Amino acid sequence: MAIDHTTPLGLKSRGAMGGGECDDDAENQRWPPWLRPLLSTSFFVQCRIHADAHKSECNMYCLDCMNGALCSLCLAHHRDHHAIQIRRSSYHDVIRVSEIQKVLDITGVQTYIINSARVVFLNERPQPRPGKGVTNTCEVCERSLLDCFRFCSLGCKIVGTARGYRPRKKHGGGGGNKNKKRAALKDVRCDSEDSCTSTSGGGSSERSSVVQSFSPSTPPPTSCRPWNKRRKGVPHRSPFGSLIVEF
């Protein structure tokens, strides 16, 4: 699947030693020798050689030397080599499609447009819960994908295309699973309807009591206190108001 015209001779000699080693060598020959080291390299760290320089961030990788991440100053020793630049998106390493597709087959890997450039992710990005309505996910880490892709990163493609690997079941499911779920729902509804009709004859009083329990009860009458119901009447004078005091 990958373009690899420079296979080491040691792999061929060891492949004839045994069946298990032959399978491993055949698996390794599917990919270029620099791919696995590239995926396991930590980028965007400070260069040990040019630590005091202004641009000492390691975001380059030499496909010929495969000696780890390089900074822009280290490329002076790799002028005639094939070096690629690694970029970062949401704390994940990505590479532009225009660079990687020249040396690697990325068929089946979903691409993303970031900063007006189409890129692919190097390693998997597991997703805890796929979104609602998702019909296609990565065969390795189950990340949500478009329907025309199988993997979310280059690392997932290596794992998913290996011999003996069994892809996980899709969350979206096929038509058969949907039909089974619909049939099961119909059975549950029928069972519930049968149980309701069987108990409708003798349990009418119970149903009415249940309905009544949900309806609000009549509030109790409030106690009428005499001072609350007191009305204003004709004012009464004091009994001593009519007495005339004589001196």
Side-chain angles (χ1 to χ4, degrees), residues 28-221:
N28 292 330
Q29 290 178 3
R30 296 181 57 192
W31 309 105
W34 50 261
L35 182 56
R36 294 181 186 272
L38 171 65
L39 300 181
S40 60
T41 301
S42 298
F43 293 95
F44 299 95
V45 296
Q46 190 176 16
C47 181
R48 297 179 181 179
I49 301 175
H50 307 94
D52 298 333
H54 177 64
K55 297 181 179 180
S56 61
E57 190 177 44
C58 297
N59 61 343
M60 306 294 296
Y61 189 84
C62 181
L63 303 183
D64 298 328
C65 298
M66 298 180 293
N67 55 351
L70 305 173
C71 69
S72 58
L73 300 177
C74 293
L75 293 180
H77 304 284
H78 304 267
R79 293 179 179 178
D80 299 332
H81 297 175
H82 192 176
I84 58 176
Q85 183 178 358
I86 306 300
R87 293 169 171 83
R88 176 155 289 192
S89 174
S90 301
Y91 303 99
H92 294 280
D93 298 335
V94 300
I95 185 173
R96 287 187 176 180
V97 175
S98 58
E99 296 184 28
I100 193 63
Q101 68 180 359
K102 297 178 181 179
V103 293
L104 185 67
D105 183 12
I106 60 174
T107 304
V109 181
Q110 179 165 330
T111 59
Y112 301 85
I113 298 178
I114 299 175
N115 295 332
S116 302
R118 190 172 296 275
V119 299
V120 292
F121 285 85
L122 298 185
N123 295 298
E124 65 178 13
R125 297 176 299 144
Q127 191 174 8
R129 293 181 181 179
K132 296 182 179 180
V134 175
T135 58
N136 185 32
T137 58
C138 179
E139 296 181 3
V140 178
C141 66
E142 297 187 353
R143 187 171 187 85
S144 302
L145 300 176
L146 299 178
D147 294 338
C148 55
F149 297 102
R150 297 176 56 191
F151 309 102
C152 69
S153 62
L154 300 178
C156 290
K157 182 174 181 178
I158 293 178
V159 177
T161 56
R163 294 183 180 179
Y165 179 79
R166 296 181 179 179
R168 299 179 182 180
K169 296 181 179 180
K170 301 290 184 179
H171 284 282
N177 295 333
K178 292 183 179 179
N179 295 333
K180 291 180 181 180
K181 291 182 180 179
R182 291 177 181 176
L185 291 175
K186 289 182 180 179
D187 295 340
V188 172
R189 291 177 182 176
C190 293
D191 295 340
S192 61
E193 290 177 358
D194 294 342
S195 60
C196 293
T197 53
S198 60
T199 56
S200 60
S204 59
S205 59
E206 297 179 358
R207 183 180 298 179
S208 60
S209 62
V210 171
V211 174
Q212 291 179 1
S213 63
F214 284 100
S215 60
S217 57
T218 305

Side-chain angles (χ1 to χ4, degrees), residues 10-11 13-29:
L11 295 177
S13 61
R14 287 181 295 175
M17 295 176 61
E21 294 182 357
C22 183
D23 295 340
D24 296 339
D25 295 340
E27 186 66 25
N28 292 330
Q29 290 178 3

